Amino acid sequence: MAALQKLPTSNLPEAVLDRRQAVPALIDRPQDFLIVTGLAGAAQELSAMTGNAPNLFAMGGAMGAALMTALGLALAQPKKKVLCVTGDGDLLMSVGGLATIALQNPPNLTVICVDNGHYGETGNQESHTGLGVRLDTIAACSGFPAVHTINSDTDLEEGRRLLRESGLRFILLRVKEGPPLKEKRNLVPHMERENFRKALLG
Amino acid sequence: MTDASNWPEQLYDLLRSANVTQFAYVPDAGHKVLINKSLADPQAHSIPLTTEEEGVALAAGADLGGERAVLLMQSSGVGNCINLLSLINGCRFPLLTLVSMRGDFGEGNPWQFPMGQAVEPVLKAMGVIVLRCDQPEDVIPTVTAAITMVFQSSQAVAVLLGQRLIGAKKF
């Protein structure tokens, strides 16, 4: 059997947080931000947290697109605070985007990776991060000026503070396996675009 | 009549006059002037990418925020973009991309042909309208038309800059 071994460099503590409490506790007031989420868990969670509000653009596919969509938005709207909220699987697919974003260094963008170490949508296979790849270290080495890792409740306060300061941020929110908050979503893609633009641009 | 031989300079001015402010690219010799001009323009964002599909998502985000982007890439990068064109197609995002061709007229490197020759059919399969320029006189009118189709009619348009126009690389 070709079992995958945890990387010998793996050195993070076991994830203990439940995303259904930790994501709302970190973001606190989603209405203060323009938000782009990756597909699956992050999209469902933020849809539930905002009641599908039009300050949220939630992917229903296009895996790997969330990070750079958030950069285009942050550059276009320098006076608004932009959040990219996405999972470890989505971010692993677009990890070069961290380097692209660091070069632009938009002070109004925060990337939050909700890292459960698994592909929760497809049978819960362990992801690279579950086996010890560290996206926080990758973000730091890509040039993100501030990187914060949340392993437990006590790390949340610093995350909440960073989120509301100016400056490009990367926050790794480590959560255990388990379902996200859920709400029935509109999956008609062009309505997502139209609703978001209408609310922001009139 | 204006001289078409400096089309790269005219092209930059055309894009800026159409309020394109986000210039995203994986470097290619065919886009050298546009890249350098965007780097020298304090009113524009010059955005080097690690891979071309980043530029597809960036263009979507720019549109969400009310700005206009252009994606500059070589034909080999088109293949990297295919799945993310679902985002453009499904959400009806405008997308303008200028593609400098390889594996095209007079190509001397056989590695370039598979993707170069697949550019038109794969773009069309993903709902992208393909326009093509092979002469210097074609460039400004074609990109002018593309700008209208993209930003007024919310279409995805690729303008291919053929090797007859930009020259085949010598080996």
Side-chain angles (χ1 to χ4, degrees):
Chain A
M1 192 181 135
L4 293 168
Q5 301 299 315
K6 215 165 221 191
L7 288 172
T9 53
S10 175
N11 55 1
L12 283 167
E14 195 76 12
V16 294
L17 294 172
D18 184 322
R19 62 184 299 158
R20 292 170 297 184
Q21 282 98 49
V23 176
L26 173 61
I27 297 176
D28 193 22
R29 286 171 46 90
Q31 61 269 38
D32 294 344
F33 305 96
L34 300 174
I35 306 173
V36 177
T37 79
L39 76 177
Q44 288 161 359
E45 205 132 57
L46 270 293
S47 294
M49 282 170 56
T50 63
N52 289 310
N55 66 322
L56 169 68
F57 184 87
M59 303 281 175
M63 190 167 177
L67 191 60
M68 287 296 294
T69 302
L71 176 63
L73 176 60
L75 294 177
Q77 289 287 329
K79 295 197 172 110
K80 307 264 185 184
K81 288 189 81 64
V82 176
L83 291 187
C84 174
V85 185
T86 193
D88 46 303
D90 187 68
L91 193 55
L92 284 163
M93 193 171 276
S94 56
V95 80
L98 293 172
T100 297
I101 287 173
L103 288 185
Q104 297 297 317
N105 196 20
N108 59 332
L109 177 61
T110 296
V111 178
I112 299 172
C113 177
V114 184
D115 182 359
N116 65 2
H118 288 78
Y119 292 93
E121 199 77 354
T122 54
N124 232 33
Q125 299 86 351
E126 237 176 338
S127 76
H128 296 56
T129 64
L131 291 164
V133 172
R134 291 195 55 160
L135 284 166
D136 52 353
T137 310
I138 293 174
C141 293
S142 297
F144 270 63
V147 175
H148 179 58
T149 304
I150 299 173
N151 288 306
S152 67
D153 279 324
T154 53
D155 302 321
L156 274 167
E157 191 52 47
E158 174 68 359
R160 274 196 291 268
R161 190 185 66 76
L162 284 171
L163 214 60
R164 285 167 194 280
E165 272 187 353
S166 180
L168 175 63
R169 311 293 190 208
F170 182 89
I171 297 175
L172 185 68
L173 175 58
R174 298 186 63 247
V175 298
K176 58 190 179 185
E177 290 176 67
L181 296 170
K182 278 191 187 171
E183 182 161 301
K184 192 164 173 56
R185 293 177 54 206
N186 162 28
L187 279 175
V188 181
H190 70 91
M191 293 304 295
E192 284 277 309
R193 172 183 178 242
E194 282 163 31
N195 292 339
F196 189 99
R197 293 186 94 244
K198 195 170 166 199
L200 178 61
L201 306 168
Chain B
M1 190 177 156
T2 52
D3 178 11
S5 66
N6 68 340
W7 62 265
E9 285 79 9
Q10 294 176 40
L11 186 50
Y12 190 79
D13 294 342
L14 173 64
L15 291 165
R16 291 293 289 116
S17 70
N19 293 321
V20 173
T21 51
Q22 298 192 19
F23 289 77
Y25 52 86
V26 173
D28 183 62
H31 296 304
K32 192 176 162 191
V33 172
L34 290 186
I35 292 167
N36 288 342
K37 280 188 161 278
S38 73
L39 283 165
D41 185 347
Q43 307 302 322
H45 300 287
S46 188
I47 307 160
L49 310 169
T50 69
T51 176
E52 291 81 357
E53 68 264 38
E54 290 177 3
V56 177
L58 180 94
D63 175 75
L64 286 178
E67 278 199 347
R68 295 176 172 186
V70 65
L71 170 57
L72 312 174
M73 60 178 160
Q74 194 195 81
S75 48
S76 39
V78 169
N80 292 344
C81 295
I82 298 305
N83 183 49
L84 286 200
L85 291 172
S86 312
L87 173 66
I88 302 299
N89 191 321
C91 295
R92 302 180 192 163
F93 279 113
L95 177 71
L96 176 63
T97 179
L98 308 182
V99 181
S100 53
M101 291 301 295
R102 297 292 307 270
D104 189 43
F105 190 86
E107 176 65 56
N109 179 354
W111 290 72
Q112 290 288 349
F113 282 99
M115 191 66 236
Q117 288 300 304
V119 160
E120 283 204 45
V122 298
L123 284 173
K124 285 179 177 169
M126 289 306 293
V128 178
I129 297 167
V130 179
L131 306 177
R132 191 178 169 101
C133 302
D134 283 305
Q135 303 296 335
E137 303 74 44
D138 296 344
V139 177
I140 296 305
T142 307
V143 178
T144 302
I147 285 168
T148 304
M149 294 157 79
V150 171
F151 297 117
Q152 196 168 314
S153 301
S154 223
Q155 299 298 303
V157 179
V159 178
L160 312 188
L161 307 173
Q163 276 180 294
R164 190 172 256 194
L165 171 73
I166 58 177
K169 193 171 172 181
K170 296 284 182 282
F171 287 92

